[in-house]
Amino acid sequence: MKIFHLHHSGFLIQLADKTLIFDCFTHIPTSLLRKGLPHYFFVSHGHGDHYTADIFSTERVYHPTYILSDDIPKASTHKTHTIGPYQHMSLGGMDIKTFGSTDQGISFYIATNSHRIFHAGDLNWWDWDTNEKPNIDPIQEEKDYKAELEKMKNLPMEFAFVPVDPRLGDSFYKAGEYFIETFHPKVLIPMHFRDDFEIIQRFKDKIGNTKTIIPEFKERNVKIKNTWSPGV
């Protein structure tokens, strides 16, 4: 299993028999697209920093299938599945469950190839500064985030992709910290920070000692160093 950070909340996961691509809205290096293997695009919602219709323009390079949140207008007639929150589907050797978001769209939980993968999309503890966003209710935002995680409480978490958004100021770490405390995933990979890669180290410093691995990466389109299964 190899994990590549594309940009923002975009990630590409290479498994032995397929490639999974999450929330990609930027160019994917062709070197990451393996000929002869299926590629599955997961899109959590239609915001421009998670989705672009350009993902439908590369069909000649590989075998694509698209799993899109149902808030996205249908933009392709080829192997496209739309799905809403709290649904289940089996596809390509994957057991896919969807959950809600505290913004738009859905989050994904995928069991495949003996792995358990969670991608939060925009499911986040949106603890904005009320001076910046006076219409935000911080107490309700906390309740909404924790209530959504409660719906997943019996699911084992191995790899989790969770927002660590620097725009939230001093609250940037809250979603990731609570996720770790709740699920104790083997690996938590921060996302939703554009190119502010320094936020990863700040997050690690804030969290302190934990058995959960928080890998660091410092650029786009880079393979994340495998520290969870050395030698694999």
Side-chain angles (χ1 to χ4, degrees):
M1 179 181 188
K2 297 178 182 179
I3 301 175
F4 296 83
H5 171 64
L6 299 176
H7 179 43
H8 199 47
S9 296
F11 292 87
L12 182 148
I13 301 176
Q14 292 180 346
L15 299 168
D17 59 342
K18 55 183 166 281
T19 296
L20 316 183
I21 301 166
F22 293 89
D23 281 8
C24 174
F25 70 104
T26 53
H27 173 72
I28 303 173
T30 55
S31 60
L32 301 184
L33 304 174
R34 298 174 295 169
K35 293 183 179 179
L37 293 179
H39 292 69
Y40 296 90
F41 284 84
F42 294 85
V43 185
S44 66
H45 62 291
H47 287 168
D49 60 340
H50 293 257
Y51 165 71
T52 173
D54 289 347
I55 60 175
F56 300 114
S57 66
T58 50
E59 292 182 291
R60 297 176 184 175
V61 181
Y62 41 78
H63 306 290
T65 298
Y66 306 95
I67 304 96
L68 309 181
S69 170
D70 61 7
D71 68 290
I72 299 171
K74 191 171 183 180
S76 172
T77 59
H78 303 288
K79 295 183 180 178
T80 300
H81 306 266
T82 58
I83 192 167
Y86 318 117
Q87 295 184 13
H88 172 262
M89 68 184 300
S90 296
L91 179 69
M94 297 178 288
D95 187 71
I96 302 167
K97 294 182 174 68
T98 59
F99 292 90
S101 174
T102 46
D103 193 344
Q104 184 171 314
I106 59 177
S107 47
F108 289 103
Y109 181 87
I110 301 165
T112 188
N113 297 57
S114 299
H115 294 299
R116 302 293 184 271
I117 301 164
F118 177 73
H119 190 284
D122 263 357
L123 172 59
N124 194 12
W125 183 339
W126 294 109
D127 188 22
W128 292 99
D129 183 339
T130 54
N131 291 320
E132 181 180 347
K133 294 183 179 288
N135 295 326
I136 291 290
D137 180 349
I139 295 175
Q140 190 61 49
E141 292 294 333
E142 177 178 356
K143 288 181 179 179
D144 290 347
Y145 180 69
K146 292 182 176 180
E148 196 60 43
L149 295 198
E150 180 69 16
K151 297 170 185 175
M152 315 173 203
K153 64 181 180 181
N154 295 321
L155 294 175
M157 294 286 180
E158 185 184 8
F159 294 91
F161 300 83
V162 176
V164 177
D165 193 323
R167 298 176 302 164
L168 296 176
D170 292 340
S171 297
F172 76 95
Y173 69 94
K174 287 187 175 180
E177 180 182 62
Y178 188 77
F179 197 97
I180 290 172
E181 291 173 348
T182 303
F183 296 108
H184 307 286
K186 183 175 183 179
V187 181
L188 185 140
I189 298 177
M191 66 178 191
H192 210 272
F193 51 76
R194 292 286 182 171
D195 290 309
D196 187 359
F197 293 96
E198 292 181 0
I199 200 76
I200 301 175
Q201 185 59 54
R202 288 176 56 203
F203 178 68
K204 294 176 72 170
D205 293 342
K206 193 74 176 181
I207 297 301
N209 292 330
T210 175
K211 291 183 179 180
T212 295
I213 295 169
I214 305 169
E216 290 189 61
F217 44 98
K218 298 182 179 180
E219 56 185 311
R220 303 184 190 183
N221 300 320
V222 65
K223 180 177 178 290
I224 297 176
K225 184 178 179 180
N226 183 347
T227 58
W228 51 89
S229 299
V232 176

